Amino acid sequence: MEHTEAVCVAPVRFETHPKQYVHLRLEIEPPVARLILDIQEDRPLRPGYPLKTNSYDLGVDIELADAVQRLRFEHPEVRVLVISSGKDRVFCSGANIYMLGSSTHAFKVNFCKFTNETRLALEDASQHSGLKSIAAVNGACAGGGYELALACDEILLVDDASSAVSLPEVPLLAVLPGTGGLTRVVDKRKVRRDLADVFSSLGEGVKGKRAVQWHLVDEAIPLSKFATRVPDRAKALAAATPQREGAGVELAPLQGRYSDEGVEHRYVSLKIDAAARVAELTLRAPEGDEPTSAAAIRERGSELWALRVFRELDDVLLELRFNRPEIGVVVLKTRGQAAHVLAVDAALAENQADWFVSEVLHHMKRVLKRLDLTARSLFAIIDEGSCFAGCLLELAYAADRSYMLAKDHGPTLAFSALNGGALPMSNGLSRLATRFLADPKKAEPPVGESLDAEAALDAGYVTFAPDEIDWDDEVRLAIEERATISPDALTGMEANLRFAGPETMETKIFGRLSAWQNWIFQRPNAVGEKGALTLYGKPERARFGWSRT
Amino acid sequence: MEHTEAVCVAPVRFETHPKQYVHLRLEIEPPVARLILDIQEDRPLRPGYPLKTNSYDLGVDIELADAVQRLRFEHPEVRVLVISSGKDRVFCSGANIYMLGSSTHAFKVNFCKFTNETRLALEDASQHSGLKSIAAVNGACAGGGYELALACDEILLVDDASSAVSLPEVPLLAVLPGTGGLTRVVDKRKVRRDLADVFSSLGEGVKGKRAVQWHLVDEAIPLSKFATRVPDRAKALAAATPQREGAGVELAPLQGRYSDEGVEHRYVSLKIDAAARVAELTLRAPEGDEPTSAAAIRERGSELWALRVFRELDDVLLELRFNRPEIGVVVLKTRGQAAHVLAVDAALAENQADWFVSEVLHHMKRVLKRLDLTARSLFAIIDEGSCFAGCLLELAYAADRSYMLAKDHGPTLAFSALNGGALPMSNGLSRLATRFLADPKKAEPPVGESLDAEAALDAGYVTFAPDEIDWDDEVRLAIEERATISPDALTGMEANLRFAGPETMETKIFGRLSAWQNWIFQRPNAVGEKGALTLYGKPERARFGWSRT
């Protein structure tokens, strides 16, 4: 029923640059940037599925994620992003079906998670960077194509006989729209649920005025006026959005070194123990010469520790997800001087009115969310020489549990203002607030305090605090034991325990929607021999088992 | 990988009575009732799995659901329910593993849904009926056993060497606790997420003081004091809970007639078209002689239309879920005089301070929630002679879509005060508020108005309003088309579109938790030939694929 879950042949790499884009064109004409989807049919990430009719695969999405990220850092002068198509009569036909049909279950799930994170980053940019977005839908806009449009602030649709928005996954492929479509239709655009039902079960989608009436799009514009209406709307949106002062900050390549043994970045290392199915992920504090004024921070650019260390962490998390599927436990470690991290945090907190500093903080936040959403068991190991301070302390609260060595002059925890809510989880709460739902006053971090293992254990800041005699055995056994448990059960368990408290559109997408999608992604009706996803494009019609579950 | 999803041999029936209980004993000593789990090993619902160590199957849960329901209606003098075990040294070891291992995927999913609804009914009784509950845990309390305790207001645990609470599903069975356990641990009891992680991955569970410290239980009590402490706590809880005046109302048997063609109740009919995979579910309005004063309503007892029609609906919904798995579309119809329903609603709204009237309303609410959570496509057909008024109109808003016949002197919709929030969905909103998220003022029902198809369509109260010429074809085609779509994709789609807006612990259980559980319930690591659920109790150890997804 299921494809072999082998590691893909060549590892996926996530760093790219507009100059290297294959499928997207980024044209900047401040205050507007245009991102043109012109997907090259003959250049899929892996051979075997031509990317017809502007359909996408992970390779396209990596470029999209990069473009949105760069606009935020490198182009503060851009306040509106217009996403359109470079093809005639098709905006985007969504994720490539043959790619999905020929992927392992694990890849499908991780692909959807990544594309979801990218769509959410687009919305995060709108909310926090004043980078508004318009989907200029000049033709068929199906499935993931419409889901991309849904992530924009406005959807403008050509009003002609053929341009429609649609979510044809359910009727045509027997799967769900996997990139937040159902959630955004009813929760973001607040489309009436019965209309959403009709829309999502209608292969051909909805056009023109009806699409506006149902609130599936914001405007339906005759083709003759489309070319002027789109820039008009872009200008209007830009005018309503505050300017960001000063030049952009270029994101230099990270130039990590990748090998079978792991990844080496300047501040982040990933060490793989394939036999044990354990990875050690270590983050290092800065050296102590980090800038403190907004001007100096800007000057340091992408070499700024706070930006670089989280970009490196992001890269390593994606490495784990896509290239190291069999790693079950990630041991989170830190090294360095707490004072240096606390100084960085203080400088960031003090200068957050500066747009670049604000971007650095929002980037930290997104990477930490990526960590929260990584389906691996996360154990924070607070050992000798560790540096769980301020923003690095968040790792311990993203972890499923933590072990802290209890000894005289042993490791300590140190809190900064950033632990208090500047880096929220996708449920909208800080990690401390999520941890201490039963005791909300503990959501306030004890800024300036430094706690040893005993104090940290008493106050509930760590899970366990073995002494030197027990330390090695206790930590080793815990990791070994975890690595023997069924990975699927752990994924489900962690997805439920990590996100206590309120739900948001974001947690609904990753909790409710993705979980259902993952379920459907293994049902015989979708991926069995006679399943709709398997038989897509073939003359044979899918055959379904009719039991409703 | 998957067991055949055939209909179970003998249909499951859900009506029972304390006199018929096999596994439970209900002892009433006002203000306390004791429910004693004394599960008969040799009397499972289906042959093949002895119910050892107080493990349960659907048969046990049907008795539990009945007991809670009867206490609310029949025993207003009871203010505290103490749940304990009739066995030595074991409280309850949860759902029977062999039963789960030998069930179809569809049965597992529906079993968990029903047990979840029963646990939520226990909490609903605490919140709305002043029926508090105590789990008196006098021994091992594992998996579903602990999940039952979690649904109680208080958990009292014997403090001895062997009594522990545990959720061993993840480490031992490679599945999730399926009855809300993970959600209630972190969201209801607000156990710290790292402690919840340790607890949920520890087969042997947590005992005594540690269980109290982690807030997994409320008290750990030495065995010598347990027999006095439990009644003391029960008395204290009862004293803090207001009394309910007057005698109880006995729930008389419904005596429906069941056949291959469907079910016939006094006010509810289910007509099965097996070939088309469509069922027609019709609710009939009262005759017009329903009582209007609290005293007369009480006098009418379980023959009261408002109580009886929703009890019948409940029975039919369970019939659909468990005995008619291949029915894909449920056509919701109503018949009778709107004025009669509106009179009932007015009487209920006016007398809701009366505990019995309040129970009737909360029962309506629960049954309508059961409808919302039924994984079948629901189409409301508002045709000639229909009676979508007041509480029956809720059916149209529980439906995925509605079709209303447009003609002169055709059907109308009529609103009552009950449409305004007395019958909330599990997301906490009324169905109208969920429908009109984009336009909150429409959450207020136009009480007293009667709308024909054109007016209803204009105001957004129905999805489609075909005229007489189109009616037959449009309705027929819509139903036929729906019945051709993959049932799994529809289940996922409906689970996402029906619950727009806020999430609650209840929606988290059915959305996030159940969806993950359903996913895991089909993973080879759980149910494959070498899966942990399959091999439970056998000498062979499970073998897992290690890919984390």
Side-chain angles (χ1 to χ4, degrees):
Chain A
M1 218 65 90
E2 197 162 327
H3 300 273
T4 343
E5 308 218 350
V7 185
C8 303
V9 187
V12 186
R13 293 282 169 256
F14 290 83
E15 277 205 275
T16 184
H17 187 278
K19 285 182 186 153
Q20 298 162 21
Y21 291 175
V22 172
H23 306 289
L24 304 187
R25 288 201 307 277
L26 187 58
E27 298 175 352
I28 293 174
E29 214 172 301
V32 175
R34 278 186 302 276
L35 190 68
I36 297 144
L37 309 177
D38 194 2
I39 297 170
Q40 301 302 297
E41 191 172 319
D42 53 352
R43 295 187 66 185
L45 190 63
R46 311 197 178 294
Y49 52 87
L51 295 171
K52 290 191 180 165
T53 57
N54 251 9
S55 64
Y56 62 83
D57 69 356
L58 181 61
V60 176
D61 228 75
I62 289 171
E63 295 181 8
L64 177 61
D66 183 75
V68 176
Q69 183 103 299
R70 283 186 194 276
L71 284 171
R72 295 176 78 166
F73 281 104
E74 301 186 355
H75 297 284
E77 73 280 12
V78 170
R79 299 202 296 283
V80 177
L81 173 64
V82 175
I83 302 179
S84 64
S85 158
K87 310 276 193 225
D88 266 352
R89 276 188 278 182
V90 59
F91 173 74
C92 173
S93 63
N96 187 277
I97 314 299
Y98 300 101
M99 179 276 294
L100 281 178
S102 62
S103 298
T104 63
H105 181 68
F107 182 85
K108 280 202 273 290
V109 168
N110 275 304
F111 169 75
C112 287
K113 193 180 278 183
F114 182 79
T115 57
N116 269 312
E117 288 167 327
T118 306
R119 306 302 171 275
L120 286 162
L122 196 59
E123 291 173 328
D124 188 69
S126 165
Q127 202 182 340
H128 300 293
S129 305
L131 177 64
K132 303 294 165 187
S133 53
I134 295 175
V137 179
N138 58 329
C141 177
Y146 180 53
E147 290 177 300
L148 175 58
L150 283 167
C152 295
D153 293 293
E154 287 192 12
I155 307 175
L156 308 181
L157 174 68
V158 165
D159 189 2
D160 63 14
S162 69
S163 297
V165 295
S166 64
L167 290 178
E169 286 87 344
V170 169
L172 294 190
L173 303 170
V175 299
L176 298 188
T179 319
L182 299 175
T183 310
R184 282 199 180 80
V185 164
V186 291
D187 276 301
K188 180 181 182 183
R189 297 194 64 91
K190 298 184 166 55
V191 171
R192 244 172 55 205
R193 52 167 284 201
D194 57 336
L195 301 176
D197 178 89
V198 175
F199 173 63
S200 313
S201 50
L202 210 63
E204 69 269 29
V206 172
K207 285 182 292 203
K209 284 196 187 58
R210 178 175 252 198
V212 178
Q213 278 162 3
W214 290 14
H215 202 47
L216 296 165
V217 307
D218 295 286
E219 287 185 37
I221 302 157
L223 185 58
S224 59
K225 295 184 183 155
F226 199 69
T228 55
R229 181 62 184 156
V230 172
D232 281 356
R233 278 305 305 154
K235 260 176 239 152
L237 265 185
T241 308
Q243 293 201 18
R244 302 194 293 171
E245 298 298 330
V249 170
E250 207 187 310
L251 299 174
L254 296 176
Q255 299 181 301
R257 281 169 290 124
Y258 303 86
S259 70
D260 282 355
E261 286 70 44
V263 184
E264 276 299 327
H265 281 298
R266 189 179 311 157
Y267 298 117
V268 176
S269 303
L270 181 74
K271 256 176 59 189
I272 297 290
D273 182 345
R277 297 189 305 277
V278 174
E280 199 174 280
L281 200 169
T282 306
L283 278 73
R284 287 177 288 276
E287 290 303 325
D289 61 341
E290 290 296 310
T292 54
S293 73
I297 289 172
R298 183 93 58 101
E299 179 77 21
R300 188 67 63 93
S302 71
E303 293 308 296
L304 187 78
W305 175 83
L307 178 53
R308 184 162 182 120
V309 69
F310 281 92
R311 284 179 72 209
E312 293 176 356
L313 175 59
D314 207 30
D315 181 66
V316 159
L317 291 174
L318 294 171
E319 166 77 10
L320 274 167
R321 287 195 195 167
F322 283 92
N323 303 326
R324 311 284 185 168
E326 298 215 338
I327 295 300
V329 183
V330 178
V331 169
L332 299 170
K333 292 191 166 186
T334 54
R335 287 290 177 266
Q337 300 294 318
H340 297 170
V341 177
L342 297 176
V344 165
D345 284 12
L348 294 175
E350 198 177 321
N351 293 294
Q352 54 190 302
D354 179 83
W355 72 258
F356 174 65
V357 173
S358 165
E359 283 304 336
V360 169
L361 286 167
H362 284 296
H363 176 260
M364 276 183 179
K365 172 194 74 181
R366 289 195 300 283
V367 176
L368 286 167
K369 285 183 183 182
R370 179 110 75 197
L371 179 62
D372 296 327
L373 285 165
T374 294
R376 309 298 165 96
S377 296
L378 307 172
F379 282 16
I381 301 299
I382 306 166
D383 58 359
E384 197 90 61
S386 73
C387 177
F388 282 92
C391 61
L392 293 187
L393 181 56
E394 289 293 309
L395 298 177
Y397 300 125
D400 296 301
R401 54 172 94 162
S402 53
Y403 292 81
M404 184 168 184
L405 175 65
K407 62 170 280 193
D408 289 347
H409 312 294
T412 55
L413 304 182
F415 295 81
S416 81
L418 297 192
N419 302 117
L423 307 169
M425 299 174 61
S426 47
N427 65 3
L429 301 183
S430 72
R431 283 174 194 76
L432 279 180
T434 303
R435 182 177 185 84
F436 294 118
L437 275 181
D439 194 0
K441 62 184 181 300
K442 282 201 171 164
E444 263 327 296
V447 177
E449 283 185 45
S450 176
L451 283 77
D452 66 8
E454 202 180 330
L457 187 71
D458 274 358
Y461 290 121
V462 295
T463 320
F464 297 112
D467 61 20
E468 284 176 287
I469 299 168
D470 295 331
W471 176 260
D472 282 346
D473 277 352
E474 190 166 334
V475 169
R476 184 180 50 77
L477 280 173
I479 293 169
E480 280 177 15
E481 214 168 274
R482 187 71 157 206
T484 65
I485 299 179
S486 161
D488 309 317
L490 287 176
T491 292
M493 180 182 100
E494 291 156 6
N496 281 282
L497 297 181
R498 287 181 186 172
F499 300 94
E503 298 260 359
T504 61
M505 193 182 76
E506 205 168 324
T507 61
K508 279 178 104 158
I509 287 173
F510 290 113
R512 179 182 279 274
L513 179 60
S514 297
W516 281 109
Q517 172 73 313
N518 293 357
W519 177 69
I520 292 164
F521 265 161
Q522 333 178 90
R523 296 289 289 161
N525 285 343
V527 298
E529 245 178 88
K530 304 284 177 192
L533 197 60
T534 312
L535 291 179
Y536 181 77
K538 295 184 184 145
E540 193 179 348
R541 283 193 64 175
R543 276 196 283 167
F544 297 139
W546 292 113
S547 185
R548 272 296 286 249
T549 305
Chain B
M1 218 65 88
E2 195 163 331
H3 301 273
T4 344
E5 308 215 353
V7 184
C8 305
V9 186
V12 187
R13 293 281 169 257
F14 290 83
E15 276 204 274
T16 183
H17 186 278
K19 286 183 186 153
Q20 299 162 20
Y21 290 176
V22 171
H23 305 289
L24 304 188
R25 288 201 306 277
L26 187 58
E27 298 174 352
I28 294 174
E29 215 170 302
V32 175
R34 278 186 303 277
L35 190 68
I36 296 144
L37 309 177
D38 194 2
I39 297 171
Q40 300 304 299
E41 192 172 318
D42 53 351
R43 295 185 66 185
L45 190 63
R46 310 195 179 297
Y49 51 87
L51 295 173
K52 289 191 181 168
T53 58
N54 252 9
S55 64
Y56 62 83
D57 69 353
L58 181 61
V60 177
D61 228 76
I62 289 171
E63 294 181 8
L64 177 61
D66 183 73
V68 176
Q69 182 102 301
R70 283 187 195 276
L71 283 171
R72 296 176 77 166
F73 281 105
E74 301 186 352
H75 297 283
E77 73 281 12
V78 170
R79 301 203 295 282
V80 176
L81 173 64
V82 176
I83 301 180
S84 65
S85 158
K87 310 274 193 227
D88 267 351
R89 277 188 278 182
V90 58
F91 173 75
C92 172
S93 63
N96 187 276
I97 315 300
Y98 300 101
M99 178 277 294
L100 281 177
S102 61
S103 298
T104 62
H105 181 69
F107 183 84
K108 279 201 274 291
V109 168
N110 275 304
F111 170 75
C112 288
K113 193 179 279 184
F114 182 78
T115 57
N116 269 312
E117 287 167 328
T118 306
R119 308 300 171 275
L120 287 162
L122 197 57
E123 292 174 327
D124 189 68
S126 166
Q127 202 183 338
H128 300 295
S129 304
L131 177 63
K132 303 294 165 188
S133 53
I134 294 176
V137 180
N138 58 328
C141 176
Y146 180 53
E147 290 177 299
L148 174 57
L150 283 168
C152 295
D153 292 293
E154 287 193 14
I155 307 176
L156 307 182
L157 175 67
V158 165
D159 188 3
D160 63 13
S162 68
S163 298
V165 296
S166 65
L167 290 177
E169 285 86 344
V170 168
L172 295 191
L173 304 170
V175 299
L176 298 188
T179 320
L182 299 175
T183 309
R184 282 199 181 80
V185 165
V186 291
D187 276 301
K188 181 182 182 182
R189 297 194 64 90
K190 298 184 168 55
V191 171
R192 245 172 52 205
R193 51 166 283 200
D194 56 338
L195 301 176
D197 178 90
V198 175
F199 172 63
S200 314
S201 50
L202 211 61
E204 68 270 27
V206 172
K207 284 184 294 206
K209 286 197 185 57
R210 178 174 255 196
V212 178
Q213 279 161 5
W214 290 15
H215 203 47
L216 297 165
V217 307
D218 295 287
E219 287 185 37
I221 301 159
L223 185 57
S224 60
K225 296 185 182 155
F226 199 70
T228 55
R229 181 64 184 152
V230 172
D232 281 357
R233 278 305 305 154
K235 262 176 238 150
L237 265 184
T241 307
Q243 293 199 17
R244 302 193 292 171
E245 300 297 330
V249 170
E250 206 189 311
L251 297 175
L254 296 175
Q255 300 180 298
R257 280 169 290 126
Y258 303 86
S259 69
D260 283 354
E261 285 71 44
V263 183
E264 275 300 327
H265 281 297
R266 188 178 314 156
Y267 298 117
V268 175
S269 305
L270 181 74
K271 255 175 61 189
I272 298 288
D273 182 344
R277 297 190 305 279
V278 174
E280 200 174 280
L281 202 170
T282 306
L283 277 73
R284 287 177 288 277
E287 290 302 327
D289 61 342
E290 290 297 310
T292 54
S293 73
I297 289 173
R298 185 93 57 99
E299 179 78 20
R300 188 67 62 95
S302 71
E303 293 307 297
L304 188 78
W305 174 82
L307 179 52
R308 183 161 183 120
V309 69
F310 281 93
R311 285 179 71 209
E312 293 175 355
L313 174 59
D314 208 29
D315 181 67
V316 159
L317 291 174
L318 293 171
E319 165 79 11
L320 273 167
R321 287 195 195 166
F322 283 92
N323 303 326
R324 310 285 184 168
E326 299 214 338
I327 295 300
V329 182
V330 178
V331 170
L332 299 170
K333 292 191 168 185
T334 53
R335 287 288 178 267
Q337 299 294 319
H340 297 168
V341 178
L342 297 176
V344 165
D345 285 11
L348 295 174
E350 200 177 321
N351 294 294
Q352 55 189 301
D354 179 83
W355 72 258
F356 174 65
V357 172
S358 165
E359 283 304 336
V360 169
L361 286 167
H362 284 296
H363 176 261
M364 275 183 179
K365 172 195 73 181
R366 290 196 300 284
V367 176
L368 286 166
K369 284 183 183 182
R370 179 109 78 197
L371 179 62
D372 295 328
L373 284 164
T374 295
R376 310 299 165 96
S377 297
L378 307 172
F379 283 17
I381 302 299
I382 306 165
D383 57 359
E384 197 91 60
S386 73
C387 177
F388 282 92
C391 62
L392 293 187
L393 181 56
E394 289 294 307
L395 299 177
Y397 300 125
D400 297 301
R401 54 172 95 162
S402 54
Y403 293 80
M404 185 169 184
L405 175 64
K407 63 171 279 197
D408 288 347
H409 312 292
T412 55
L413 304 182
F415 295 80
S416 83
L418 298 192
N419 302 118
L423 307 168
M425 298 174 60
S426 46
N427 65 4
L429 302 182
S430 71
R431 284 174 193 77
L432 278 180
T434 303
R435 182 179 185 84
F436 294 118
L437 275 181
D439 194 358
K441 62 183 182 301
K442 282 201 171 164
E444 266 321 299
V447 178
E449 283 184 44
S450 176
L451 282 76
D452 66 8
E454 201 180 332
L457 186 71
D458 273 358
Y461 291 120
V462 295
T463 320
F464 297 112
D467 62 19
E468 284 176 287
I469 298 167
D470 295 330
W471 175 259
D472 283 345
D473 277 352
E474 191 167 333
V475 170
R476 183 181 50 78
L477 279 174
I479 294 169
E480 280 178 14
E481 213 167 275
R482 187 69 158 207
T484 65
I485 299 180
S486 161
D488 310 315
L490 286 176
T491 292
M493 178 181 102
E494 291 157 7
N496 280 282
L497 297 181
R498 287 181 185 172
F499 300 93
E503 298 261 359
T504 61
M505 193 183 74
E506 203 169 326
T507 61
K508 278 178 105 158
I509 287 173
F510 291 113
R512 178 182 280 272
L513 179 62
S514 298
W516 281 110
Q517 173 74 313
N518 293 357
W519 176 69
I520 290 164
F521 266 162
Q522 336 178 88
R523 295 289 289 163
N525 286 342
V527 298
E529 247 178 86
K530 305 284 176 192
L533 198 60
T534 311
L535 292 179
Y536 180 78
K538 296 186 183 144
E540 192 179 347
R541 284 193 62 175
R543 276 196 283 167
F544 296 141
W546 292 114
S547 185
R548 273 296 286 250
T549 304

